Amino acid sequence: MHKSLNEQDVGTPRSSAVQQVTLEIDGMPVSVAAGTSIMRAAAINGVNVPKLCATDSLEPFGSCRLCLVEIEGRRGFPASCTTPVESGMKVRTQTPKLQSLRKGVMELYISDHPLDCLTCAANGDCELQDMAGVTGLREVRYGYEGKNHLSDKKDESNPYFTYDPSKCIVCNRCVRACEEIQGTFALTITGRGFASRVTAGVDQSFMESDCVSCGACVQACPTATLQEKTVIAIGQAEHGVVTTCAYCGVGCAFKAEMKGTEVVRMVPYKDGQANEGHSCVKGRFAWGYATHQDRITKPMIRSKITDPWREVSWDEALDYAASEFKRIQLKHGRDSIGGIVSSRCTNEEGYLVQKLVRAAFGNNNVDTCARVCHSPTGYGLKQTLGESAGTQTFKSVEHSDVILVIGANPTDAHPVFASRMKKRLREGAKLIVIDPRKIELVSSPHIRAAFHLPLKPGTNVAILSSLAHVIVTEDLLNKDFIAERCEDKAFTEWRDFVSQPENSPEAMQQVTGVAAELVRGAARLYATGGNAAIYYGLGVTEHAQGSTAVMGIANLAMATGNIGREGVGVNPLRGQNNVQGSCDIGSFPHELPGYRHVSDSTTRHLFEAAWGVTIQPEPGLRIPNMFDAALDGSFKGLYCQGEDIVQSDPNTQHVTAALSAMECIVVQDIFLNETAMYAHVFLPGSSFLEKDGTFTNAERRISRVRKVMPPKAMLADWEVTVQLSERLGYPMNYSHPSEIMAEIASLTPTFSGVSYAKLDQLGSIQWPCNENAPEGTPIMHVDRFVRGKGRFIITQYIATDEKVTKKFPLILTTGRILSQYNVGAQTRRTGNIQWHEEDLLEIHPHDAEDRGIVDGGWVEIQSRSGTTVLRASVSQRMQPGVVYTTFHFPESGANVITTDNADWATNCPEYKVTAVQIKPVAEPSQWQKGYTRFAKAQQNLLNQAQNG
Ligand code: SF4
Ligand code: SF4
Ligand code: SF4
Ligand code: FES
């Protein structure tokens, strides 16, 4: 690949063939896999054939004619990129004739190219320039005065890259990248011959077209035609550091290309096992928040939230926080304080926060935001399969024949994995989508779902049971797998349960709103279509029956034997970068690292011996319990690292009332977020670019986060926790996060083989990694389930308490959009705002018409919890009776409307089902007016501190 510092581009992709072929290149014998191109065979053996239209991330195209070679016994000059090796072949890559042909090709290119190399942004990183050098071009006989493209207009509409057609050599790499890698099909070559141009959409600007700004085309472009604006502004990088994206649970690896301590660009890392050189708009481009002027870099304190902030030294802030926590515990008892750690933080940071709570606070009041997203995954998969994690690698999807997506919208929330999935679908795998909305996957270029089951929100369990009903009653079970791998009694009970007529698709149609024939068809396809994999997201977990639905998914996989090999499995798509990791390392109030219950005395004693403290055997408070306890006066102090509970937790007014009732809230973050407006101590956090650590993605893959610049506030987050702990009388002695990982490994059997040295050596590791699996475990439950035998669990559908009524006749469901991320604190401070500058309420045209609502008009949304106002987007993607919004902007107040209903097992909030009424209005809600006043006042209190 061209655009990444010092990485070799061997021209064409790897062949997957096992058979080896031996040939001779320039007199040198070489052996490569059958199907390898001559170009690649030469390059991996040190012979670089000139090329322009080939790059090893794309299938060869054979258009530039620069890579010609001579093959003994063959006429003409075949292109080495499109010609596969053959046994005994004798190839010559450098002859006078070849050199003259290549020089001729280059002359044609250069005669229509601006000669501004010295001032071009790609100077030093341009393949056209390189090839002019390689071919020995010294003069252009045709002159530069002929017909040319030099005055073609630049397209600067995209916030992150420019398109300068005057530099285009029409190599087609961008078009192929958009199709083959990204799967968006936004680009075409229009016109013929000399008039050929790359065109976005239907002769639109990049911004107006379907382009999703993944940057694959920019990366593939061999010239400065498609060029990052940061490179144009600051020039080429001088060194690169491999790190991991801090946004979603795909966990893409990037090379941060640097000029000193300044990021020039983020280039997806070709050897990154989660992304294999691809990325989305967030990871590649939306990193500017890290140096945004809103970053708070000085610690601050105040005694009341109506007081101005006072900037203080680290010592004073930490002394104050520690003294407040001690005072509160003395007055209100040991259990009156707790900690919350974000899934955005590293494993090492999360581990330290739970250690601080357990060892220095002396209780188990620690929780993580995974509580509000994937806690049902942890519970449901542990109960059925024995391990709280997904079963596969992302790559496994390349072997799937049937892909069932339920309650997930990968093209928006997990884009790089979505591209991989789409590639497999274009190759012929069949798709089943179970979602209330017609998400993009249902129908996108070259992809059509075989089945879309548009269920009513809140009925996942009903649909999963009716899918199971069809599989059992139509005799589609994998009986051998069940007999060998699963518990007999549990299976029989489950089989008898799902076979009951009330679980049939016909009976459940009333509940789910999905035609029985669709459910039958989908069940048959899932059970009989070959390797079938299930991918699911928060549309499954964030329900009153979230854990039941996760168990229903595991039941389906076991019933059909779709577990324990490539191409199958149960795959939770994790929202934030380190949701998996934050759960793994003991951030839940009931579990020590490695999902071991605090009541288990052997595990407790292990940690007690290592930490030199007594650990409480009773689980501590979960996040919602902390709020309830704050309101009843028993919970008074909170250490909140990296999490914006005010914006992200349901029923905002309940959350803010709880925070207002506490005596000391310590927020550690990079911005003054919504929660920090209720805080008494602000400890400046560090972005992922400023610290070392690890993230664990949705595939259980542990990857390194590497520091590329010093922390803006002097301390990395883990150092702050260490210093706070010391002031609370519990010193922690670490000089580097690698030592924290060494401690995690020494105390956690599934991590015992993990170390920074091994991560450096292998690139990344999928846990379990221990003496049985020293290099990690790509696929779980291969020969036996982690719990021994798989356990079917009965999944009785119970309708949520959140009922539609005459007063609240519609159901609101929520989700996210590609360009924004979670509470938006990071992405709102980047150019991504250009795609999505406010949260909208999507509504079906019938519902809109009934209420006199027009596209773009203001609508009030009222639920049993509260009222807010958003702009309407009238959309056929919705089904009648269901409305949808995102929650990326605090002023939208999406969570003012969501309720306290939660999953029965884990308290994960039921974000996906809220009964609402909507009507057109002309002004913001009372809550919004109050919010605006409060936020403005808090901003003033901050400004006063910062301006002295
Ligand atoms: S940025 Fe991505 S989506 Fe947009 S044109 Fe390029 S490859 Fe296609
Ligand atoms: S824009 Fe770049 S990649 Fe696309 S055809 Fe032109 S030179 Fe090739
Ligand atoms: S897919 Fe996720 S991990 Fe990858 S670049 Fe995008 S946000 Fe980052
Ligand atoms: S590189 Fe082979 S034809 Fe262009």
Side-chain angles (χ1 to χ4, degrees):
M1 197 158 304
H2 154 63
K3 289 193 168 174
S4 54
L5 217 57
N6 304 327
E7 274 170 44
Q8 195 195 5
D9 182 343
V10 289
T12 62
R14 179 192 301 277
S15 157
S16 54
V18 198
Q19 196 200 337
Q20 292 284 301
V21 169
T22 302
L23 68 160
E24 211 180 276
I25 297 178
D26 293 339
M28 170 178 62
V30 302
S31 282
V32 291
T36 303
S37 69
I38 293 175
M39 174 179 281
R40 185 180 175 105
I44 57 183
N45 286 286
V47 177
N48 292 309
V49 182
K51 61 181 170 48
L52 273 175
C53 67
T55 184
D56 55 15
S57 59
L58 299 171
E59 293 303 321
F61 191 61
S63 72
C64 75
R65 311 296 297 160
L66 204 61
C67 69
L68 312 180
V69 289
E70 290 177 17
I71 302 174
E72 201 175 285
R74 242 187 241 193
R75 289 179 50 210
F77 305 95
S80 63
C81 62
T82 48
T83 311
V85 292
E86 279 173 26
S87 186
M89 220 177 210
K90 289 194 165 75
V91 179
R92 297 181 71 192
T93 71
Q94 303 293 344
T95 65
K97 181 64 192 165
L98 289 172
Q99 277 160 16
S100 142
L101 285 170
R102 289 176 188 149
K103 208 185 268 191
V105 170
M106 279 310 294
E107 252 186 295
L108 282 170
Y109 278 123
I110 298 298
S111 67
D112 180 27
H113 199 84
L115 293 180
D116 59 356
C117 289
L118 286 183
T119 52
C120 176
N123 188 12
D125 186 30
C126 171
E127 291 182 47
L128 189 67
Q129 196 180 45
D130 294 347
M131 289 308 115
V134 163
T135 54
L137 188 70
R138 297 289 172 260
E139 58 174 343
V140 175
R141 284 166 294 167
Y142 319 111
Y144 310 106
E145 281 74 40
K147 222 168 142 199
N148 59 46
H149 293 111
L150 304 187
S151 58
D152 284 5
K153 222 170 138 263
K154 269 192 194 176
D155 174 355
E156 307 212 59
S157 60
N158 184 289
Y160 300 116
F161 60 84
T162 58
Y163 169 55
D164 178 357
S166 72
K167 299 194 165 170
C168 180
I169 57 169
V170 201
C171 66
N172 217 293
R173 274 161 66 159
C174 54
V175 179
R176 288 180 284 144
C178 193
E179 294 176 0
E180 291 176 30
I181 301 174
Q182 167 57 24
T184 292
F185 295 81
L187 302 179
T188 41
I189 302 279
T190 53
R192 302 178 70 112
F194 187 77
S196 304
R197 293 282 183 291
V198 172
T199 306
V202 196
D203 209 5
Q204 294 160 305
S205 70
F206 271 80
M207 203 58 203
E208 294 161 333
S209 74
D210 288 340
C211 165
V212 292
S213 196
C214 71
C217 57
V218 182
Q219 185 167 339
C221 182
T223 65
T225 313
L226 288 163
Q227 185 74 60
E228 296 93 341
K229 287 184 176 173
T230 47
V231 174
I232 296 174
I234 50 186
Q236 301 290 335
E238 44 76 22
H239 76 276
V241 181
V242 177
T243 189
T244 304
C245 178
Y247 282 119
C248 86
V250 178
C252 297
F254 281 86
K255 187 173 271 187
E257 291 197 356
M258 307 293 301
K259 235 185 167 75
T261 56
E262 184 178 23
V263 178
V264 173
R265 66 180 168 193
M266 297 290 277
V267 180
Y269 190 46
K270 198 157 62 167
D271 293 334
Q273 288 126 321
N275 58 322
E276 295 186 342
H278 190 35
S279 76
C280 80
V281 62
K282 294 190 284 287
R284 188 193 297 261
F285 294 123
W287 38 267
Y289 70 87
T291 49
H292 194 276
Q293 58 185 22
D294 288 353
R295 281 286 300 270
I296 298 181
T297 54
K298 299 217 173 70
M300 303 186 298
I301 59 175
R302 59 182 176 181
S303 42
K304 295 200 298 298
I305 68 163
T306 45
D307 289 347
W309 284 105
R310 197 158 62 80
E311 286 184 348
V312 295
S313 65
W314 272 109
D315 278 340
E316 189 175 345
L318 290 162
D319 285 346
Y320 181 72
S323 69
E324 278 294 280
F325 285 148
K326 283 195 227 165
R327 178 188 65 76
I328 290 170
Q329 280 191 308
L330 212 58
K331 189 165 146 206
H332 301 282
R334 189 190 63 202
D335 297 335
S336 59
I337 63 172
I340 295 175
V341 61
S342 171
S343 297
R344 268 180 277 185
C345 299
T346 63
N347 286 317
E348 293 73 7
E349 288 158 0
Y351 177 83
L352 285 198
V353 171
Q354 63 88 34
K355 181 173 178 180
L356 172 112
V357 169
R358 295 196 158 100
F361 290 2
N363 60 43
N364 285 312
N365 292 338
V366 62
D367 210 354
T368 167
C369 56
R371 167 74 49 221
V372 300
C373 69
H374 265 289
S375 49
T377 288
Y379 182 83
L381 296 186
K382 181 103 181 169
Q383 295 297 311
T384 46
L385 312 181
E387 191 57 272
S388 300
T391 61
Q392 310 294 119
T393 58
F394 288 141
K395 205 171 173 57
S396 154
V397 78
E398 293 170 11
H399 302 271
S400 299
D401 303 307
V402 178
I403 298 170
L404 191 162
V405 178
I406 172 168
N409 185 7
T411 50
D412 279 56
H414 302 89
V416 165
F417 176 65
S419 292
R420 222 168 192 173
M421 186 187 267
K422 281 166 124 183
K423 189 168 183 185
R424 182 63 190 153
L425 292 169
R426 290 197 302 275
E427 286 167 358
K430 300 277 186 298
L431 174 67
I432 301 166
V433 173
I434 306 179
D435 202 285
R437 290 198 315 153
K438 195 172 165 208
I439 58 170
E440 190 196 318
L441 270 182
V442 173
S443 153
S444 56
H446 303 279
I447 289 170
R448 287 281 173 283
F451 294 96
H452 174 214
L453 278 43
L455 80 177
K456 288 185 194 154
T459 63
N460 285 326
V461 170
I463 213 116
L464 288 163
S465 293
S466 55
L467 287 166
H469 175 92
V470 178
I471 291 169
V472 170
T473 57
E474 295 192 8
D475 202 16
L476 308 175
L477 290 166
N478 185 331
K479 294 193 184 105
D480 292 345
F481 182 90
I482 296 166
E484 193 190 327
R485 302 280 307 267
C486 302
E487 283 181 9
D488 250 3
K489 186 163 170 287
F491 165 68
T492 313
E493 286 168 2
W494 173 81
R495 185 196 58 198
D496 295 347
F497 163 75
V498 294
S499 325
Q500 291 165 8
E502 55 265 39
N503 284 321
S504 70
E506 289 72 17
M508 283 296 188
Q509 188 166 329
Q510 276 288 74
V511 172
T512 61
V514 180
E517 261 326 290
L518 283 180
V519 179
R520 288 198 176 270
R524 288 170 196 143
L525 177 59
Y526 175 75
T528 63
N531 284 343
I534 302 179
Y535 293 87
Y536 72 91
L538 305 184
V540 163
T541 56
E542 290 176 343
H543 285 275
Q545 283 201 293
S547 292
T548 318
V550 172
M551 294 188 285
I553 286 171
N555 289 339
L556 283 184
M558 290 188 289
T560 53
N562 277 309
I563 206 126
R565 61 180 192 279
E566 295 263 37
V568 298
V570 173
N571 304 278
L573 294 171
R574 309 291 185 143
Q576 305 203 84
N577 50 334
N578 200 34
V579 175
Q580 181 69 56
S582 70
C583 302
D584 300 341
I585 49 76
S587 303
F588 283 136
H590 65 294
E591 278 170 345
L592 286 156
Y595 302 98
R596 288 164 295 169
H597 205 276
V598 287
S599 62
D600 166 17
S601 53
T602 315
T603 307
R604 229 175 37 250
H605 294 154
L606 181 73
F607 281 87
E608 286 175 341
W611 293 351
V613 293
T614 304
I615 297 172
Q616 301 306 314
E618 298 294 329
L621 296 174
R622 297 171 172 182
I623 294 173
N625 306 130
M626 291 182 194
F627 298 149
D628 292 342
L631 286 169
D632 76 21
S634 59
F635 189 77
K636 294 286 186 185
L638 179 67
Y639 173 42
C640 184
Q641 188 182 81
E643 181 58 12
D644 194 354
I645 43 182
V646 169
Q647 197 183 333
S648 58
D649 283 43
N651 196 350
T652 308
Q653 293 173 99
H654 179 74
V655 177
T656 53
L659 296 191
S660 305
M662 292 189 208
E663 292 178 8
C664 181
I665 295 172
V666 178
V667 166
Q668 187 170 337
D669 211 288
I670 58 177
F671 299 115
L672 187 86
N673 61 17
E674 303 305 304
T675 308
M677 294 186 192
Y678 291 85
H680 307 88
V681 180
F682 187 93
L683 305 174
S686 42
S687 78
F688 78 114
L689 297 169
E690 296 158 41
K691 58 197 175 193
D692 283 299
T694 55
F695 293 148
T696 307
N697 76 353
E699 324 157 275
R700 296 169 277 105
R701 185 183 299 287
I702 307 164
S703 302
R704 273 300 309 277
V705 176
R706 292 187 177 86
K707 179 169 158 180
V708 299
M709 58 177 71
K712 294 227 161 305
M714 319 286 280
L715 298 178
D717 290 300
W718 65 272
E719 293 173 295
V720 177
T721 308
V722 166
Q723 295 214 15
L724 180 61
S725 190
E726 184 165 350
R727 284 165 171 83
L728 287 164
Y730 184 77
M732 296 181 182
N733 297 310
Y734 306 103
S735 58
H736 189 269
S738 59
E739 295 166 11
I740 306 171
M741 180 53 86
E743 183 174 314
I744 298 172
S746 71
L747 295 167
T748 314
T750 41
F751 277 66
S752 64
V754 179
S755 67
Y756 276 31
K758 198 184 276 182
L759 285 166
D760 286 345
Q761 182 201 336
L762 299 178
S764 62
I765 299 170
Q766 287 178 275
W767 67 258
C769 173
N770 46 32
E771 64 284 359
N772 298 327
E775 300 206 341
T777 310
I779 303 218
M780 294 196 79
H781 314 295
V782 173
D783 298 317
R784 62 187 288 280
F785 285 100
V786 170
R787 67 183 303 282
K789 293 234 167 182
R791 179 155 73 115
F792 283 87
I793 294 183
I794 289 178
T795 54
Q796 178 75 51
Y797 169 68
I798 300 167
T800 165
D801 291 342
E802 184 65 11
K803 303 269 191 285
V804 291
T805 58
K806 212 162 160 207
K807 190 168 176 209
F808 300 113
L810 302 172
I811 296 177
L812 170 79
T813 189
T814 60
R816 56 158 108 151
I817 198 152
L818 171 68
S819 55
Q820 296 291 341
Y821 175 73
N822 206 267
V823 296
Q826 295 145 286
T827 42
R828 279 187 275 116
R829 292 178 170 96
T830 68
N832 281 23
I833 203 81
Q834 211 164 306
W835 283 276
H836 185 81
E837 53 185 9
E838 62 182 323
D839 293 318
L840 300 170
L841 186 82
E842 279 188 41
I843 177 168
H844 189 271
H846 290 167
D847 292 327
E849 200 183 329
D850 282 353
R851 292 165 175 80
I853 290 165
V854 293
D855 195 48
W858 291 106
V859 286
E860 178 191 276
I861 309 127
Q862 192 189 9
S863 74
R864 295 179 180 97
S865 293
T867 305
T868 196
V869 172
L870 295 173
R871 228 185 267 279
S873 165
V874 179
S875 161
Q876 291 280 1
R877 285 207 297 193
M878 301 309 301
Q879 52 172 287
V882 180
V883 293
Y884 170 88
T885 192
T886 49
F887 50 90
H888 303 304
F889 292 79
E891 61 274 19
S892 308
N895 281 324
V896 171
I897 320 167
T898 50
T899 67
D900 287 331
N901 290 344
D903 174 42
W904 61 273
T906 65
N907 275 139
C908 179
E910 191 180 32
Y911 289 109
K912 303 294 181 189
V913 187
T914 309
V916 296
Q917 177 57 297
I918 64 174
K919 63 175 185 198
V921 286
E923 57 172 33
S925 70
Q926 282 308 318
W927 177 85
Q928 280 165 313
K929 287 181 191 164
Y931 167 78
T932 308
R933 273 194 305 274
F934 178 72
K936 209 179 258 173
Q938 287 297 321
Q939 188 60 45
N940 282 339
L941 297 176
L942 174 67
N943 295 347
Q944 283 174 39
Q946 292 182 328
N947 303 330

mmCIF file of all heavy atoms in Angstrom, residues 425-438:
data_model
loop_
_atom_site.group_PDB
_atom_site.id
_atom_site.type_symbol
_atom_site.label_atom_id
_atom_site.label_comp_id
_atom_site.label_asym_id
_atom_site.label_seq_id
_atom_site.Cartn_x
_atom_site.Cartn_y
_atom_site.Cartn_z
ATOM 1 N N LEU A 425 -21.080 -10.893 1.447
ATOM 2 C CA LEU A 425 -22.429 -10.934 0.887
ATOM 3 C C LEU A 425 -22.378 -10.783 -0.639
ATOM 4 O O LEU A 425 -23.116 -11.443 -1.362
ATOM 5 C CB LEU A 425 -23.306 -9.838 1.508
ATOM 6 C CG LEU A 425 -23.635 -10.039 2.994
ATOM 7 C CD1 LEU A 425 -24.267 -8.784 3.588
ATOM 8 C CD2 LEU A 425 -24.566 -11.243 3.201
ATOM 9 N N ARG A 426 -21.463 -9.930 -1.119
ATOM 10 C CA ARG A 426 -21.343 -9.786 -2.576
ATOM 11 C C ARG A 426 -20.817 -11.069 -3.209
ATOM 12 O O ARG A 426 -21.082 -11.360 -4.364
ATOM 13 C CB ARG A 426 -20.417 -8.604 -2.939
ATOM 14 C CG ARG A 426 -21.013 -7.245 -2.630
ATOM 15 C CD ARG A 426 -20.273 -6.129 -3.357
ATOM 16 N NE ARG A 426 -18.861 -6.085 -3.048
ATOM 17 C CZ ARG A 426 -18.321 -5.459 -2.006
ATOM 18 N NH1 ARG A 426 -19.098 -4.807 -1.169
ATOM 19 N NH2 ARG A 426 -17.022 -5.482 -1.798
ATOM 20 N N GLU A 427 -20.085 -11.849 -2.408
ATOM 21 C CA GLU A 427 -19.581 -13.130 -2.933
ATOM 22 C C GLU A 427 -20.684 -14.188 -2.940
ATOM 23 O O GLU A 427 -20.472 -15.305 -3.387
ATOM 24 C CB GLU A 427 -18.419 -13.634 -2.068
ATOM 25 C CG GLU A 427 -17.137 -12.854 -2.291
ATOM 26 C CD GLU A 427 -16.066 -13.126 -1.221
ATOM 27 O OE1 GLU A 427 -16.338 -13.908 -0.280
ATOM 28 O OE2 GLU A 427 -14.986 -12.549 -1.317
ATOM 29 N N GLY A 428 -21.827 -13.881 -2.329
ATOM 30 C CA GLY A 428 -22.955 -14.829 -2.424
ATOM 31 C C GLY A 428 -23.542 -15.302 -1.117
ATOM 32 O O GLY A 428 -24.529 -16.049 -1.130
ATOM 33 N N ALA A 429 -22.973 -14.926 0.029
ATOM 34 C CA ALA A 429 -23.585 -15.349 1.300
ATOM 35 C C ALA A 429 -24.964 -14.701 1.413
ATOM 36 O O ALA A 429 -25.215 -13.643 0.841
ATOM 37 C CB ALA A 429 -22.704 -14.914 2.482
ATOM 38 N N LYS A 430 -25.858 -15.372 2.125
ATOM 39 C CA LYS A 430 -27.248 -14.887 2.261
ATOM 40 C C LYS A 430 -27.388 -14.086 3.555
ATOM 41 O O LYS A 430 -26.731 -14.388 4.561
ATOM 42 C CB LYS A 430 -28.205 -16.075 2.303
ATOM 43 C CG LYS A 430 -28.159 -16.945 1.051
ATOM 44 C CD LYS A 430 -29.050 -16.332 -0.020
ATOM 45 C CE LYS A 430 -29.184 -17.201 -1.249
ATOM 46 N NZ LYS A 430 -27.929 -17.442 -1.953
ATOM 47 N N LEU A 431 -28.279 -13.101 3.513
ATOM 48 C CA LEU A 431 -28.423 -12.199 4.657
ATOM 49 C C LEU A 431 -29.846 -12.208 5.208
ATOM 50 O O LEU A 431 -30.818 -12.140 4.449
ATOM 51 C CB LEU A 431 -28.058 -10.776 4.205
ATOM 52 C CG LEU A 431 -28.284 -9.641 5.201
ATOM 53 C CD1 LEU A 431 -27.329 -9.764 6.397
ATOM 54 C CD2 LEU A 431 -28.077 -8.283 4.521
ATOM 55 N N ILE A 432 -29.921 -12.302 6.544
ATOM 56 C CA ILE A 432 -31.206 -12.141 7.241
ATOM 57 C C ILE A 432 -31.037 -10.934 8.161
ATOM 58 O O ILE A 432 -30.084 -10.884 8.948
ATOM 59 C CB ILE A 432 -31.527 -13.376 8.110
ATOM 60 C CG1 ILE A 432 -31.579 -14.641 7.248
ATOM 61 C CG2 ILE A 432 -32.833 -13.173 8.884
ATOM 62 C CD1 ILE A 432 -31.558 -15.943 8.058
ATOM 63 N N VAL A 433 -31.928 -9.960 8.067
ATOM 64 C CA VAL A 433 -31.869 -8.800 8.960
ATOM 65 C C VAL A 433 -33.133 -8.793 9.818
ATOM 66 O O VAL A 433 -34.245 -8.873 9.289
ATOM 67 C CB VAL A 433 -31.769 -7.480 8.171
ATOM 68 C CG1 VAL A 433 -31.880 -6.279 9.113
ATOM 69 C CG2 VAL A 433 -30.455 -7.417 7.397
ATOM 70 N N ILE A 434 -32.941 -8.737 11.130
ATOM 71 C CA ILE A 434 -34.079 -8.617 12.038
ATOM 72 C C ILE A 434 -33.945 -7.257 12.712
ATOM 73 O O ILE A 434 -33.056 -7.049 13.549
ATOM 74 C CB ILE A 434 -34.086 -9.757 13.088
ATOM 75 C CG1 ILE A 434 -34.032 -11.115 12.381
ATOM 76 C CG2 ILE A 434 -35.315 -9.651 13.984
ATOM 77 C CD1 ILE A 434 -34.015 -12.325 13.310
ATOM 78 N N ASP A 435 -34.753 -6.312 12.302
ATOM 79 C CA ASP A 435 -34.617 -4.939 12.808
ATOM 80 C C ASP A 435 -35.910 -4.181 12.518
ATOM 81 O O ASP A 435 -36.485 -4.342 11.440
ATOM 82 C CB ASP A 435 -33.440 -4.229 12.106
ATOM 83 C CG ASP A 435 -32.925 -3.062 12.926
ATOM 84 O OD1 ASP A 435 -33.603 -2.016 12.942
ATOM 85 O OD2 ASP A 435 -31.878 -3.209 13.572
ATOM 86 N N PRO A 436 -36.337 -3.341 13.457
ATOM 87 C CA PRO A 436 -37.553 -2.572 13.199
ATOM 88 C C PRO A 436 -37.405 -1.630 12.009
ATOM 89 O O PRO A 436 -38.370 -1.306 11.348
ATOM 90 C CB PRO A 436 -37.752 -1.744 14.477
ATOM 91 C CG PRO A 436 -36.875 -2.345 15.504
ATOM 92 C CD PRO A 436 -35.788 -3.079 14.788
ATOM 93 N N ARG A 437 -36.156 -1.180 11.765
ATOM 94 C CA ARG A 437 -35.944 -0.243 10.663
ATOM 95 C C ARG A 437 -35.374 -0.956 9.454
ATOM 96 O O ARG A 437 -34.717 -1.981 9.570
ATOM 97 C CB ARG A 437 -34.924 0.833 11.078
ATOM 98 C CG ARG A 437 -35.458 1.791 12.101
ATOM 99 C CD ARG A 437 -34.611 3.040 12.149
ATOM 100 N NE ARG A 437 -33.184 2.765 12.145
ATOM 101 C CZ ARG A 437 -32.262 3.599 11.675
ATOM 102 N NH1 ARG A 437 -32.610 4.742 11.143
ATOM 103 N NH2 ARG A 437 -30.993 3.280 11.741
ATOM 104 N N LYS A 438 -35.565 -0.321 8.309
ATOM 105 C CA LYS A 438 -34.946 -0.858 7.096
ATOM 106 C C LYS A 438 -33.528 -0.291 7.065
ATOM 107 O O LYS A 438 -33.275 0.738 6.440
ATOM 108 C CB LYS A 438 -35.760 -0.394 5.887
ATOM 109 C CG LYS A 438 -35.463 -1.134 4.641
ATOM 110 C CD LYS A 438 -36.442 -0.756 3.542
ATOM 111 C CE LYS A 438 -35.890 -1.235 2.222
ATOM 112 N NZ LYS A 438 -36.318 -0.453 1.093
#
